[in-house]
Every structure is written in structure tokens, then in C-alpha cells.
Amino acid sequence: MSVADNADWGRTVETAACDRWPLEHVAGDDSPEWFDARTVAPIETPLASSPIAEEGTPVEVKACRRRYRGRYGRWWIRRENHERLLEAGGEYVLAVYDHAEGDVCRMALTSATTVDALVTSWWECGDGGRCADQYRQVPWTAAFDDLRGPGGR
């Protein structure tokens, strides 16, 4: 899989998220923003007494493949952006896509606080890192266990 292919899937998932929730794209090559989208209206649920997210809430979109090289895919979380999202009371869109089928299998909007509970420690990037001092890979099975099939690691 190429970097361009990953970027294409990232844009596909961002577009799907903006279609599903009241979000607008804010990130791009020329954007100074450190997140991908923001809410343009409060996001409410019938089960909560207050909105899940207020208008203007920053949203980071994370996508990963359902399977990659014989194992379940992982979301790549940069510590610096994650901590900024936590401070801002932000949200994540977590998505899983099936490269072979060409579709998004699952997508959820969840708080940065919830994702923080999935990150038990941070890894140093080292040589060849992705422009981050520290990061963590979080397997999608931590959030969407019901998509799990036979096999995998």
C-alpha cells in the first residue's frame, strides 16, 4: 500500500464523516489547523441530556485497514495532537475500511478522553518516524470487537 493510497482512504473517510455528522473539513496541505474537521452544529444523542459535542469542537479523523499484512489494522495516534485534542475537549472519528472491498466497514465518533483510555503508553518514534516525537498504534479491535473475524493478530 502506498502513501498516496493511505491519503486517498483518509480523504474518503473524512468525507464520509462529514456526510454522517455536522462536520466541516479544516485540514489540508495549506491549513494551519492540527485537526481534520470541526463540528458546525452541536451533536446530540437521545440518550444524553447534553450534546456530545458543541459547535466548533475539533475532530481528528483516524482510519485504518481492516486487515494489513495478516493482522488487524491499527490507528496511528500522535501524542502531541492527541494531547491538544484532549485539552480542547475534542473528538475522534475512528474508522475501519476494507481495502479489498473498497468500503468503510465501521465509523464512530468518540471523545478524545475515551481514546486516551485506550493508550496505555507512548512509543518513541526513532529513526524513520512519521514526524512525531511519540506515538501509539491502537488496534481497531479495541473499539470494534464485533468486526473481528477468524485469524489475525
Side-chain angles (χ1 to χ4, degrees), residues 17 20-24 38-46 48-59 91-93 109-110:
R20 183 169 180 184
W21 295 287
L23 304 175
E24 67 177 352
R38 76 168 50 90
T39 58
V40 294
I43 299 176
E44 299 185 13
T45 178
S49 59
S50 61
I52 295 171
E54 299 288 345
E55 182 176 342
T57 300
V59 179
E91 299 283 322
Y92 278 96
V93 169
L109 182 73
T110 189

Side-chain angles (χ1 to χ4, degrees), residues 12-23 61 93 107:
T12 297
V13 170
E14 285 177 27
T15 299
C18 288
D19 289 345
R20 183 169 180 184
W21 295 287
L23 304 175
V61 179
V93 169
M107 188 168 49

